[in-house]
Structure formats: C-alpha cells, structure tokens
Amino acid sequence: LSQNQTYKAYPVIQSPGLDSVLPEGNLALKDIFVEIKGGGNLRQQLIQLYNSAGGNNWKHKENWLTDEPIELWEGVHRNNEGKYSIELRDNNLTGTVALSSAEIRSIDVSSNNIENLSLSGCTGLEYAEYGNNPLVILDLSDCSIVNGYYSMGDENTYSKIKQLKMSNCKELTDVYIEM
C-alpha cells in the first residue's frame, strides 16, 4: 500500500452457519474506505520534496540529501522548541511540493514554479507563503491552526488554482488570494 492514498477494503465474514443462508457461506461488506496518511518522517519527506521539485536545479541546496541533521540543510530551520520552518523562496522549485502531516511551523515556497502544493495534515502549521507560483492544486486540509495564507503574482505567474482543499482547518483565521 502506498502512503497518502485511499483504498476500498472489503471485509469478508466466513462461517459454516452462513452456508444455508448465503451463497458460498460468505458475507461481504462493501464500501469501507481505508486512508493511508503521512509521508514518513520529516527527513524522508524533505528528500521526496527535493526529488519531486527539481532539487538538482535549485539555487540553494547546501547539505540537502547528506547525512547532516536536516536543520543544517539550506532553507530548513529548527527553533528552540524543536519546530521546523522551511524557507525555499525563489529557489527554482518546480512541479510538486508535498509535505503531508509534516511537523513544520511555517513554509515559504513563494516565487518558484510550483503547480501542486500539498500541506495536508500539517497540524502545527502556522503560516504558509506560496505566492508567485502557477498553482493549479492547493491542499491545506487538516491544517488545524493555520493563521494565514498569502498568494499573489503578476499576470504571468499568478495562481490559476483549479482545486482548493481546505477541509478541517478548524482555527483558520485568514485566507488571502489575490489573482
């Protein structure tokens, strides 16, 4: 099974007593959904981010994919409380940025070429900046304590969001999208 996917599960109950009531003695329940969430620990997710967002072409990538602690990776910061901030502004990121259920406090991926940004399940996320990206998909679902979002761009790079997911943002106080 893959992470961050939804699967249908069909439990089957087998019993000799069901032989006289049901064909083949099986009772199958339908439409039970099982969702596999999470993308591993933060190091694994940052490695996946690097690979899916064109990391080889980033302007600033010192220590990425090394054995160094992730807070020594350029653009990754850890505060005294052990919470992480990701700052990859204007860094040639392309394609997809996905940090599902990551333990991050803030993220700045503005002024890149990102089309898909998924921060679903980042329950500690307080701030995300993603302006000046040609976003098509923005998933902020289950980011329960986010205080604000900001998106802007000129006529060539503004967001063309076709899919916006914000379910279960329980304490969301501000959404600002300028197009």
Side-chain angles (χ1 to χ4, degrees):
L1 297 179
S2 299
Q3 295 177 340
N4 298 321
Q5 298 292 321
T6 301
Y7 297 92
K8 283 186 179 181
Y10 298 101
V12 176
I13 301 169
Q14 295 180 332
S15 171
L18 293 175
D19 285 338
S20 61
V21 181
L22 298 171
E24 300 177 17
N26 293 330
L27 175 62
L29 304 174
K30 301 288 184 188
D31 293 324
I32 295 175
F33 291 91
V34 178
E35 188 170 350
I36 310 297
K37 294 215 41 131
N41 66 35
L42 186 55
R43 175 183 285 274
Q44 292 168 334
Q45 288 193 50
L46 290 174
I47 291 169
Q48 184 176 356
L49 181 150
Y50 182 92
N51 291 324
S52 69
N56 288 334
N57 298 314
W58 290 2
K59 295 177 189 177
H60 311 285
K61 57 185 176 184
E62 185 176 341
N63 288 330
W64 278 77
L65 306 185
T66 68
D67 290 334
E68 293 289 339
I70 59 175
E71 56 266 25
L72 297 179
W73 293 9
E74 192 165 6
V76 180
H77 309 282
R78 183 176 175 201
N79 69 16
N80 292 338
E81 298 169 351
K83 296 183 180 179
Y84 289 90
S85 295
I86 312 296
E87 296 177 18
L88 298 173
R89 176 186 194 100
D90 190 24
N91 199 32
N92 286 343
L93 278 72
T94 59
T96 297
V97 170
L99 292 171
S100 179
S101 301
E103 294 297 322
I104 58 173
R105 184 184 66 78
S106 67
I107 185 167
D108 182 350
V109 290
S110 58
S111 300
N112 285 290
N113 197 26
I114 299 167
E115 294 179 350
N116 181 352
L117 176 60
S118 177
L119 301 172
S120 65
C122 294
T123 57
L125 185 65
E126 296 175 10
Y127 183 75
E129 187 166 339
Y130 47 81
N132 291 325
N133 281 293
L135 286 176
V136 175
I137 299 171
L138 177 60
D139 186 355
L140 305 169
S141 56
D142 297 311
C143 296
S144 60
I145 61 168
V146 176
N147 291 324
Y149 293 106
Y150 176 75
S151 181
M152 62 168 276
D154 63 31
E155 60 199 43
N156 298 315
T157 61
Y158 68 89
S159 296
K160 298 177 183 177
I161 297 173
K162 292 182 181 177
Q163 207 175 90
L164 176 62
K165 298 178 184 180
M166 297 183 74
S167 61
N168 296 320
C169 294
K170 297 174 183 162
E171 296 180 39
L172 181 66
T173 59
D174 189 25
V175 176
Y176 177 73
I177 299 177
E178 178 184 318
M179 293 192 204

